[in-house]
Amino acid sequence: ALNRLGNVFWLKDEQAAARDHFERALVINNRLGDSKEIGRTLNNLANVYRSWGDYQRAIELFLGARTHYHRASYEEGVAWLDFSLTILHKKLNDYERALETINASLDAYRILAQQSGDSAGVMICYGQLGDIYNQMGDPEKGLDYHLRALHMREETGVEEAIADGLNGVGKSY
């Protein structure tokens, strides 16, 4: 309930109140020893710190959440946290770590896609890889990944996704 209340405050753009609720939830979840819930709460806290621009603290919290999701065998959560870490590493211009985490996310999403048939995670990872290579000054590699993502986006038929893919291709050019 505290996590849900924190989410309500988050949606109301009251991050300090959200953080307080997430921190209270974390105390209880730690006491209960539920790794998946601990991971979820740490993820929520990380998002608060990310919104405040405290990327180092957000990274610490995401890594903690990742550890707990891994313990709970929640592989989709692990993949999403690796994706989230990529975005923060990119913001900090730490492209080596960004490539490391996005490739881990991509590997996990490929496995999940084989199991579920849903390749959305693979698609968003390709887009991030394109962005990273563009920012590293390698637009040729960036274009390759953005084109991969665009082809997958076109298969969805979702116009917003296609427009986002075209934007990535344009940035590479």
Side-chain angles (χ1 to χ4, degrees), residues 109-150:
Y109 276 126
R110 282 181 174 146
I111 292 167
L112 291 166
Q114 288 175 347
Q115 296 169 354
S116 70
D118 181 3
S119 60
V122 173
M123 179 182 68
I124 62 172
C125 286
Y126 283 159
Q128 280 301 313
L129 277 162
D131 289 348
I132 292 166
Y133 282 113
N134 283 346
Q135 289 178 351
M136 291 174 62
D138 191 345
E140 194 170 310
K141 268 190 182 174
L143 179 61
D144 177 54
Y145 281 107
H146 277 301
L147 286 172
R148 291 183 200 190
L150 177 60

Side-chain angles (χ1 to χ4, degrees), residues 46-163:
N47 284 318
V48 169
Y49 283 93
R50 178 173 61 182
S51 76
W52 287 337
D54 188 347
Y55 300 139
Q56 291 300 330
R57 181 68 178 135
I59 287 170
E60 292 169 16
L61 292 164
F62 278 139
L63 287 171
R66 187 186 188 286
T67 297
H68 283 282
Y69 277 170
H70 187 68
R71 283 184 193 152
S73 298
Y74 182 39
E75 296 309 314
E76 187 174 357
V78 171
W80 180 252
L81 288 168
D82 283 335
F83 185 85
S84 297
L85 284 163
T86 298
I87 293 168
L88 293 177
H89 291 309
K90 227 173 54 171
K91 286 183 181 289
L92 295 169
N93 299 319
D94 187 348
Y95 300 120
E96 185 176 320
R97 283 199 176 128
L99 286 171
E100 181 182 311
T101 55
I102 197 61
N103 282 310
S105 183
L106 178 59
D107 291 344
Y109 276 126
R110 282 181 174 146
I111 292 167
L112 291 166
Q114 288 175 347
Q115 296 169 354
S116 70
D118 181 3
S119 60
V122 173
M123 179 182 68
I124 62 172
C125 286
Y126 283 159
Q128 280 301 313
L129 277 162
D131 289 348
I132 292 166
Y133 282 113
N134 283 346
Q135 289 178 351
M136 291 174 62
D138 191 345
E140 194 170 310
K141 268 190 182 174
L143 179 61
D144 177 54
Y145 281 107
H146 277 301
L147 286 172
R148 291 183 200 190
L150 177 60
H151 294 305
M152 294 177 81
R153 291 170 191 270
E154 288 172 335
E155 289 176 13
T156 70
V158 176
E159 289 181 10
E160 185 177 275
I162 295 167

